[in-house]
Amino acid sequence: MFRPIWGAATSAHQVEGNNFWNDWWAWEERGKVGERSGLASDHYRRFREDFKLARSLGHTAHRFSLEWSRLEPREGEWDEAAFRHYEEVFQALEEESLEPVLTLHHFTNPAWFAEKGGWLSSGAAEKFSLYVRKSVERFGRHVRVWITFNEPLIYIYQSYLLGRWPPGEKDFTKALRVFREFLRAHAAAYKILHEASSNPECHVSIAHHCMALSPCRSSHPLDRLSLFLREWFINRLPFEALMSGFLFFPGVFFEKLPFRRTLDFLGVNYYSRDFVRFAGFWGQNQFGTVCPREHHPREDREFNDLGWEIYPKGLFEVVSSLKRFRLPILVTENGVSTPDDRQRQRFIRDHLAELGRAQREGADVLGYFYWSLVDNFEWAEGFKPRFGIVEVDYPLQSRRPRPSAEELRRGCGKLFGQRETA
Ligand code: GAL
């Protein structure tokens, strides 16, 4: 059903710069994080240059997000200049023969929406639906592949459990309410996109953060039990709910959506592995805790500069475990933060090898997006982490492709085919 696609991903707030109207900007202004996004990678003005680079690196597609707060800076007020800007973005992608993969929600909300209670306020999904409708009416003809929400569980974890991201809540019940609202909003968006898109093809999913998981103590039955429950909760639950049309969380909520399956493929973001330890039978504890590095089983392991384990086999494990849904799989993000590009080259080579292995063993893999095209603003971690296959010198805002960009071209070219040269 799909042509294979590959390239690199970005998100609006992380690269565009000057996103004054969203809740992250307000959070930064309140001094809640060490660094402010400011101009970020100045992509709002330099998108043409960035897409030219992506093309020169062989990419066939580009994943990015619309910034809702630019399109609707105040409730019900739609900014024509912002719509025209994204229209130019789509045109520039077309000129470089890069297929857009479009994300609608990538962690940021308009400030007005957040002030009204954000995803906890009544009618949140309906407000989001209006934005989805405007977007598909305006941009639908350019887009074949849509992502409604990026990493809903990571957003909920950081924003409603850890309190590190806006709105800074630490409340399990609220977290579950937001989860349910996201699923409702996704299902509504799915329907709107399919009904209103003027593109003959329209494929919709979420980009879901999946972790590889291993038990802390491999022979401990309770660690294995926690691991099983955690796997179900963090890797599978959103997919299960959106495939079956039942929104459920044992003992907390159960609701039937008006339509069944609202996924056309599975979008998977994969970065790392966690080791899981039993923590008790109740509440959040049943999903175990992640054991610290010094308690991991002793094996030769490598980490990125954020302390995340580099575990390429995990991509094979995650993709293989999703075969049971019988849907095509798109790797919507996979990447490494490192000052050492040789580590990035190995990361890309080894992960693509594991993805190839999953493909040979029957997984229907549509494509792959490396995170990220250019270095960018890594949320609470600021600008220090360097994920890009293209290096950004921030004071000059100049770009320089890293050698790992060639590794991506080689690996993806082998898996999905080279693009024709112009
Ligand atoms: C993902 C997220 C991106 C990016 C990346 C690297 O979880 O979607 O926005 O920050 O991680 O941490």
Side-chain angles (χ1 to χ4, degrees), residues 41-58:
S41 318
D42 199 19
H43 179 75
Y44 197 78
R45 291 188 298 196
R46 294 172 191 261
F47 61 92
R48 289 195 178 81
E49 179 189 343
D50 290 343
F51 298 160
K52 272 201 172 32
L53 263 178
R55 178 190 193 143
S56 75
L57 298 172

Side-chain angles (χ1 to χ4, degrees), residues 10-11 14 63 106-107 150-151 154 165 209 269 271 306 308 333 335 371 376-379 387:
T10 60
S11 89
Q14 292 177 273
R63 177 177 171 226
H106 197 123
F107 298 157
N150 180 70
E151 300 190 344
I154 294 293
W165 293 2
H209 185 96
N269 292 1
Y271 285 88
L306 291 167
W308 307 351
E333 280 179 35
W371 180 272
N376 59 64
F377 177 70
E378 177 59 22
W379 309 112
F387 276 95

Side-chain angles (χ1 to χ4, degrees), residues 177-323:
R177 278 173 53 203
V178 173
F179 178 57
R180 178 185 188 173
E181 195 66 9
F182 269 172
L183 297 177
R184 290 183 59 236
H186 166 85
Y190 180 90
K191 193 158 179 277
I192 295 169
L193 293 172
H194 275 279
E195 279 170 7
S197 171
S198 53
N199 196 310
E201 277 187 85
C202 172
H203 306 291
V204 182
S205 188
I206 56 172
H208 182 42
H209 185 96
C210 293
M211 297 286 307
L213 297 168
S214 298
C216 283
R217 299 160 292 181
S218 57
S219 55
H220 202 294
L222 290 176
D223 281 7
R224 290 189 162 275
L225 174 70
S226 301
L227 183 141
F228 173 79
L229 293 171
R230 193 180 191 89
E231 220 272 310
W232 173 81
F233 180 44
I234 69 168
N235 286 352
R236 296 231 307 263
L237 180 59
F239 285 149
E240 296 279 4
L242 299 174
M243 286 297 281
S244 63
F246 289 107
L247 308 188
F248 54 94
F249 191 84
V252 184
F253 60 81
F254 184 87
E255 182 180 335
K256 173 94 193 73
L257 290 170
F259 15 87
R260 272 195 68 212
R261 202 185 96 176
T262 55
L263 295 172
D264 300 318
F265 65 95
L266 305 179
V268 172
N269 292 1
Y270 172 74
Y271 285 88
S272 185
R273 161 164 77 163
D274 272 348
F275 283 85
V276 184
R277 190 189 193 97
F278 176 73
F281 286 107
W282 311 113
Q284 297 169 63
N285 287 345
Q286 58 189 310
F287 308 115
T289 54
V290 170
C291 59
R293 212 151 127 176
E294 54 279 16
H295 296 154
H296 291 183
R298 270 189 215 94
E299 287 169 27
D300 247 1
R301 271 168 307 107
E302 197 185 341
F303 296 86
N304 75 8
D305 71 355
L306 291 167
W308 307 351
E309 187 191 356
I310 297 176
Y311 181 58
K313 224 175 129 207
L315 184 57
F316 171 83
E317 291 169 5
V318 162
V319 167
S320 305
S321 75
L322 297 174
K323 280 195 292 193

